[in-house]
Amino acid sequence: RSATSSCAGALSNATALVAPQQLRCVAKLACSWKSEGVVMCDGVEELATALSQFACEGEHNSYLVQERIDDVLCEASVYFLRGKMTGVRYYRFSHHKAPPEYMSRSCAAEYLGGEQAVLQAEEVMNPLALQWYAWAKAQCSASVPFMRVDFLLAKPTDGSTIPAVWTGELSELGGAVSFEGLSDEVSRKLVFDAVQ
């Protein structure tokens, strides 16, 4: 299969950057929903197994391999609707493959170390989200009616109080939206109405 040869190229590139036994990554099926189609991998052998299993399932021909981020405190989605940043939604997963647990901003502050930590994380996330939105607009002449930029917020590694912010995923026109204070149905309707 062509997927196998593509996997081999990806594995050789990955191992050129890090020793095989130290490789910690996440293998994903493209367009996976929440944490379905996501496999945590420790080492090249686990990555090869995950990619081979994806190829054998035959439903997808596109896979992502991302750096694995440890000590994630919670996650955040920044939403753009009709070209405007319309909100940030915080959530966490109790364990891998669990459904997301959406939380208020004040609850996120408890996980991140206080209101100041939330403000500092947002000072990093918001400009990054705007840059990703500009990138998406530059990819196509059509408008981008809705876009979600997901971030992982991890424990600070440099001794500061600012959570480490990592871009996790970009989604456009996705139904996976939950504006704070609105039901999922109303949130999805806002997105679908923007597309029309």
Side-chain angles (χ1 to χ4, degrees):
R1 291 186 154 201
S2 60
T4 307
S5 61
S6 298
C7 297
L11 288 176
S12 65
N13 289 339
T15 56
L17 300 173
V18 66
Q21 69 277 12
Q22 296 174 339
L23 179 69
R24 291 175 49 79
C25 62
V26 178
K28 290 182 172 183
L29 289 173
C31 304
S32 62
W33 172 249
K34 299 177 182 168
S35 61
E36 295 174 17
V38 175
V39 178
M40 306 290 189
C41 302
D42 289 311
V44 174
E45 290 176 10
E46 286 186 16
L47 176 58
T49 300
L51 293 174
S52 294
Q53 287 174 341
F54 289 166
C56 289
E57 290 172 12
E59 294 179 23
H60 299 273
N61 62 3
S62 182
Y63 317 116
L64 306 172
V65 179
Q66 296 177 315
E67 181 177 356
R68 186 164 160 184
I69 307 304
D70 292 316
D71 300 321
V72 173
L73 301 167
C74 68
E75 301 184 27
S77 292
V78 176
Y79 299 124
F80 290 89
L81 189 63
R82 293 186 175 106
K84 295 182 180 167
M85 191 181 299
T86 55
V88 178
R89 182 69 179 189
Y90 293 92
Y91 56 97
R92 65 182 300 273
F93 296 90
S94 61
H95 56 84
H96 180 55
K97 302 216 183 255
E101 298 170 6
Y102 291 103
M103 63 181 89
S104 67
R105 194 171 186 280
S106 59
C107 187
E110 293 177 28
Y111 284 100
L112 296 173
E115 181 62 29
Q116 187 62 31
V118 172
L119 289 171
Q120 291 171 317
E122 289 177 355
E123 286 175 6
V124 175
M125 288 188 306
N126 292 345
L128 273 173
L130 286 167
Q131 288 177 6
W132 280 118
Y133 185 75
W135 172 85
K137 287 190 338 184
Q139 301 306 305
C140 180
S141 61
S143 66
V144 180
F146 174 78
M147 186 168 149
R148 188 188 81 224
V149 183
D150 295 342
F151 292 98
L152 304 175
L153 306 174
K155 287 182 182 176
T157 56
D158 58 3
S160 75
T161 58
I162 303 172
V165 175
W166 298 83
T167 301
E169 180 178 329
L170 309 177
S171 294
E172 55 179 331
L173 304 179
V177 58
S178 181
F179 291 108
E180 188 167 352
L182 298 177
S183 70
D184 289 347
E185 292 77 22
V186 171
S187 296
R188 282 191 291 273
K189 183 173 179 354
L190 285 172
V191 172
F192 294 145
D193 286 350
V195 174
Q196 297 178 359

